[in-house]
Structure formats: C-alpha cells, structure tokens
Amino acid sequence: MKSNLFFHKHKDIILFSLVFSILIVLTGNIPFFWTMGYFGSLATRFYESNFTQLIFNIDNGAPPLYGIYIAFLWKVFGKSLMVFHLAALPFIIGILIQLKKLTKALFPEINTYVLFFLLLFEPTFITICSLGGYDLCITFFFFYAMNVIYFHKKNFFFLLSILIITFLNLRGFTIVFGIFLFDVYIQIRNKKRENTIRGKILFILPYFICLLAFIGWLRYHYSILGWHIVHPDFDSFHKLNHLEMLIRNFIYIFWKIFDFGRFIIWVPLIFILLKFLFQKKLFNKENTAYVYFLFTLLYYFIFYLVNSYPVSHRYFLLSYIISLILFLSLINKISNKIHQTLLILASCIVLFFGNFIIYPERFGNGWDASLKYLPYFSLKQNIDNYIILQNIKPEEVGAHYPMNFDNYDTDLSETHFKYAALNNDHFKNYKYIILSNISNSFSPQVMEEIENKWSLEKEFKSYQIYIKLYKNPNTTHELN
C-alpha cells in the first residue's frame, strides 16, 4: 500500500528519471568533451595514481573534486565511458526532486509533467546531460541549498552542499555568493534577521567555513605549483575590462542568455522582472520566485561582467531552469487551455531547432551547450585515422582546444594519441594544422592565412561541422 502511494505521489519523477536514464545509456559512448576533457584527464591520473596525488602538471587551477568522484566510481565499477556518464544520473534525478519541491511551493498550479517535458527541450540542460557534465552536480546542490534556505531547514547537509559547490569549480565560489545573497533576502522577507550574536554567528558560520576551506585549498595549491586561481598561461583571461569592453561583455552575456531559441522564454520574463523591480514589490510569494531567478544571474554579472574571462552558455544553466518555471507560471495565466498547449509546443519546437544555430567562427559557438556537437566525434575519429594511415606524427599537427586532448584521457583508448597545442602566434612552426569550426580559438587572421596559403590535404564534413587538415607549404614532409 505504501509503495503504491509513493509511486502515485512521485510518478512524474519516476517517469522522467527513466527518460533521462535512457538518454544517458544512449549517449554512454560519447567521449569526454570540452571542459570535461580536462576532468577526464584528471580522473585518469587519480585512477592510475590510486589517489596518492591531488595536483598534477595539467592543473588549471580548478579544484579537482569531480575528477576524484569519477576516478572513485571507476575503481568500484570499472573504467569506462558508460560509468562516467552514469555518474551524472543521481544528480539529474536530484534536480528533478528539488525542482518539484520548489515549483509546488511557489506555483502549485504548475504541472510538473509539463515542466519536466519542457526541460527535455532546454538546449543546454539536455546537452550537458548527454555529455555527463559536472554542471549537473553544481545544479543539484545549488537547488538543494536554495530550497533548504527557502523552507528554513538548514542543517549539516546545507554546509556540505555549499562546500561541494565550491570545490567542483572555481566559479563555484561565486555561486555560493549568490546563495548567500538569497539567504539574506529570505531573512529580510520573513523579518527574521538574527539580532543576537549567537544567531548572527550561526547564520554566517556555513559561509565562513566555506571561505576558510576555499582559502586553504588556494594556499595548498600555491605551495605546490607557485600560483593559484589563474594559470600563468591564461592570465590574459582574468584582467579587468575597460568601459568599452564592459559594455561589449554586457551585450555578449545577454546574447548567450537569449541564444538557442531561448528568446521565446526570456523576453516576457525580462519585462515582468523589470516591472516588479520598479514597483519594489519584492516580498510576496510570486515575486520571491523572480528574486530567486534574479540571484541566479546577479553573481555572474558581478564577477564576470568586469573581467575578460570568456563567458560560456553553461554558466547560466541555473537561470535557464528557473526561467522555465516562471515561463509556465505566465502561461498558466492564460485561460484558454488550447492556447496554453500551443504556446508550450511552439516553445519546444523553437528550443529544439535552436540547438542547431551556428554562427561564423569569429563569434564562437556554444558547442558544449547545444546538440549541434553530435557529429563531431565521428569526424574526429576520421581525421585521427587518416593521420595514422598517412604516418604523420600527431605531435607534428597543431590543433586548438578541444581537439588537442589526449585520446587516452577523452576516449579512454588504450594508447596515447595527442595533437600539439596550437599557438596562434607561432602557427607557422607546425608542419600541419587542423582547422575546424568546433574550435573557437582561431583568430580570423590565422584562419585566413592558413586557408589561402597552406595546402588542404584532407577534409571531413558532417552537417554543419567540418575538420580540415592543412599542410605547411614550407615543410618537406610528403604524404604517402
């Protein structure tokens, strides 16, 4: 009887957990890709060193927690791509649980079946699910922490959640800052600001512990490598923007947010958000949902608007998910059920086709945030096989991120196969260069010179993705 009651109460979560499980199994042979290529490299080193070392020479400054998690699962279940992908499943299910809890508290009228169905069409979320991205782990613990605050149920697991977020990625600390701001807002809204010294200490203690732990990690990292946060090779990505660049970054961030067809979700939400900000009605239940939404954006604007670090579509995943809840709350205000259904279906269609928008190379593309990446892996395999057949040494071939990871780490192949990391300033020093629109790192000048002056040896193309092998005209090496 109890089992039947549990199934009836949670059948939406059970159904969509099965849907996402099937998705993960279907994409379980996809190699580590983009940022996950780095975590694949870390996980391999943890696995092979039996966790005797925390920092390696490939370190980029980010805490290694997710790499440790993958390596641990490999030790238990065996080293495979499928295990890597299945590692994300608990967090996906956790996200569904936390979203249902939040939605029923803020908008009980929203049908969670519709919400979860719409989530399947959210380009960045579904792409990260197919790639096994650590962003899913961040997302689960974020929603867990925010729900704990909203429902006034702080406990040890709240501290654990913000610690995990902090040690998943460097931007995790900015996310914890957003959680802190929301915590302050809830205290003000409920007029429960802690006035006693003990109350203030208990309020700030989890965040203080988190800060101390983060500082401790930075000091330990510095003691090993002599730098922290920013790798010396990427120092140019972490400089303060001047006014012109700040304005351009502002526009760029909004482009990322509206990209992949999300304008159909975000345009009405922006108008509603501005309306309640001007009316200063911050503290009723519906506006609390918009404040929740605002805080998923605010910390990124604070930290990333002013510096030159490239902003990824993935960084706004939390905002994309909350926007779907708010979008459905607006649709529910429409009395005609047919119109509601048509709007939801139209949104799904727009979001689906938004996955396949490709911009000219100079603008860059969110390859790790939309499904247009799918043809890449067969093309990469083709160019690798061609280079092997032609007896070209991979270290003589220059390639940009993400094509310059070792196949041993990304594909879990038995042998090493790695192209040289391409430097735009010294591209003429390479015998061969792989040119592909999968990479956002080529400068227009370098691309133009390669295409006009180098010899095209081989090209593979599928749908909108191409990979081309160019030969330096000054090399004496001849193809077979």
Side-chain angles (χ1 to χ4, degrees):
M1 189 68 176
K2 288 184 178 180
S3 61
N4 289 337
L5 182 64
F6 177 85
F7 178 81
H8 180 75
K9 187 177 180 180
H10 301 292
K11 59 184 178 181
D12 50 354
I13 292 174
I14 294 171
L15 172 62
F16 281 91
S17 294
L18 289 173
V19 171
F20 280 103
S21 298
I22 292 170
L23 169 69
I24 287 179
V25 170
L26 292 175
T27 58
N29 63 341
I30 291 179
F32 288 83
F33 180 62
W34 213 262
T35 304
M36 293 311 299
Y38 169 70
F39 284 98
S41 303
L42 274 183
T44 296
R45 284 157 178 77
F46 286 127
Y47 178 82
E48 293 181 346
S49 67
N50 289 314
F51 308 100
T52 56
Q53 189 175 342
L54 275 180
I55 295 177
F56 301 90
N57 59 356
I58 62 167
D59 191 281
N60 67 0
L65 183 59
Y66 202 74
I68 294 173
Y69 169 63
I70 297 299
F72 173 77
L73 293 182
W74 282 347
K75 287 290 185 181
V76 175
F77 300 106
K79 186 181 179 183
S80 71
L81 289 173
M82 183 61 75
V83 170
F84 155 61
H85 282 275
L86 288 172
L89 184 58
F91 304 116
I92 296 173
I93 296 172
I95 290 168
L96 297 179
I97 294 170
Q98 296 303 320
L99 284 182
K100 181 176 180 177
K101 188 176 181 180
L102 175 66
T103 303
K104 290 307 178 185
L106 296 176
F107 304 104
E109 71 278 8
I110 288 181
N111 187 322
T112 49
Y113 286 94
V114 177
L115 173 62
F116 295 159
F117 179 75
L118 196 55
L119 194 60
L120 284 170
F121 287 87
E122 209 304 306
T124 301
F125 182 76
I126 198 67
T127 299
I128 293 173
C129 288
S130 69
L131 291 172
Y134 69 94
D135 298 85
L136 297 169
C137 188
I138 291 177
T139 301
F140 164 67
F141 284 107
F142 170 83
F143 282 119
Y144 173 81
M146 294 288 269
N147 282 347
V148 164
I149 292 170
Y150 184 78
F151 294 105
H152 316 294
K153 293 183 178 179
K154 278 189 183 177
N155 51 31
F156 169 75
F157 293 104
F158 172 76
L159 170 61
L160 185 63
S161 66
I162 61 175
L163 279 171
I164 289 173
I165 292 172
T166 301
F167 284 92
L168 282 171
N169 188 269
L170 284 173
R171 61 187 168 89
F173 193 76
T174 67
I175 295 174
V176 173
F177 179 71
I179 293 171
F180 168 74
L181 293 178
F182 184 73
D183 202 354
V184 172
Y185 163 78
I186 290 295
Q187 293 287 323
I188 297 172
R189 191 201 69 168
N190 295 331
K191 299 179 181 179
K192 289 185 178 179
R193 280 177 287 183
E194 301 290 354
N195 294 319
T196 65
I197 293 177
R198 181 178 181 276
K200 289 178 180 179
I201 290 174
L202 289 176
F203 175 79
I204 203 70
L205 185 61
Y207 303 104
F208 184 69
I209 293 173
C210 197
L211 177 62
L212 285 181
F214 185 60
I215 292 172
W217 161 257
L218 293 180
R219 287 181 62 86
Y220 172 72
H221 190 279
Y222 187 84
S223 70
I224 301 296
L225 295 180
W227 58 271
H228 50 62
I229 299 181
V230 183
H231 192 287
D233 291 347
F234 301 101
D235 186 54
S236 61
F237 284 156
H238 293 268
K239 294 181 178 179
L240 292 178
N241 287 327
H242 50 75
L243 181 60
E244 180 185 349
M245 284 302 298
L246 190 146
I247 295 172
R248 289 179 64 182
N249 235 20
F250 184 84
I251 297 171
Y252 189 66
I253 287 173
F254 268 95
W255 170 37
K256 295 285 187 182
I257 290 172
F258 280 73
D259 203 5
F260 305 148
R262 274 189 286 265
F263 64 87
I264 197 169
I265 305 289
W266 281 69
V267 169
L269 296 184
I270 294 294
F271 281 109
I272 298 294
L273 186 62
L274 290 174
K275 179 183 176 182
F276 96 79
L277 283 175
F278 283 120
Q279 291 178 343
K280 299 181 181 179
K281 295 180 179 179
L282 296 174
F283 301 111
N284 63 45
K285 187 166 73 169
E286 182 171 346
N287 285 346
T288 296
Y290 282 91
V291 172
Y292 200 130
F293 174 60
L294 185 63
F295 281 130
T296 63
L297 289 170
L298 185 61
Y299 49 84
Y300 279 123
F301 274 92
I302 291 173
F303 287 97
Y304 291 99
L305 186 64
V306 296
N307 73 54
S308 56
Y309 190 82
V311 178
S312 168
H313 293 81
R314 292 182 297 105
Y315 295 177
F316 302 98
L317 178 62
L318 305 172
S319 304
Y320 303 153
I321 295 173
I322 291 294
S323 71
L324 297 181
I325 298 175
L326 297 178
F327 179 68
L328 289 179
S329 75
L330 294 180
I331 285 182
N332 278 340
K333 297 180 186 298
I334 301 171
S335 57
N336 191 307
K337 294 294 183 182
I338 296 176
H339 291 169
Q340 286 185 13
T341 303
L342 289 175
L343 277 172
I344 292 170
L345 291 177
S347 302
C348 290
I349 292 170
V350 171
L351 290 172
F352 176 75
F353 285 103
N355 277 287
F356 307 104
I357 296 172
I358 288 191
Y359 302 100
E361 283 91 335
R362 67 190 186 93
F363 293 109
N365 285 278
W367 295 107
D368 59 338
S370 58
L371 293 175
K372 59 176 172 277
Y373 78 88
L374 285 169
Y376 163 71
F377 300 103
S378 60
L379 296 179
K380 174 67 163 54
Q381 186 64 55
N382 288 339
I383 197 69
D384 290 350
N385 291 339
Y386 178 80
I387 286 172
I388 291 171
L389 288 173
Q390 297 299 326
N391 294 321
I392 300 172
K393 297 178 181 178
E395 60 269 22
E396 295 179 344
V397 181
H400 267 310
Y401 180 96
M403 295 190 65
N404 52 21
F405 284 111
D406 193 336
N407 288 359
Y408 183 78
D409 298 324
T410 57
D411 299 46
L412 305 188
S413 61
E414 295 182 358
T415 57
H416 292 273
F417 186 92
K418 185 179 186 300
Y419 298 121
L422 182 60
N423 186 323
N424 280 338
D425 295 330
H426 305 287
F427 74 96
K428 294 181 181 179
N429 295 339
Y430 300 88
K431 289 185 176 182
Y432 297 88
I433 283 180
I434 293 178
L435 199 65
S436 174
N437 58 347
I438 201 73
S439 172
N440 298 328
S441 303
F442 282 99
S443 68
Q445 296 79 11
V446 169
M447 288 186 66
E448 183 178 358
E449 182 163 348
I450 292 173
E451 290 174 338
N452 293 333
K453 296 183 179 180
W454 288 44
S455 171
L456 177 61
E457 298 294 331
K458 192 66 177 178
E459 177 180 7
F460 295 98
K461 188 173 183 179
S462 179
Y463 298 98
Q464 297 168 298
I465 301 178
Y466 67 81
I467 296 180
K468 302 176 182 179
L469 178 66
Y470 282 91
K471 180 181 177 183
N472 191 329
N474 297 321
T475 185
T476 58
H477 184 81
E478 295 296 332
L479 295 176
N480 294 333

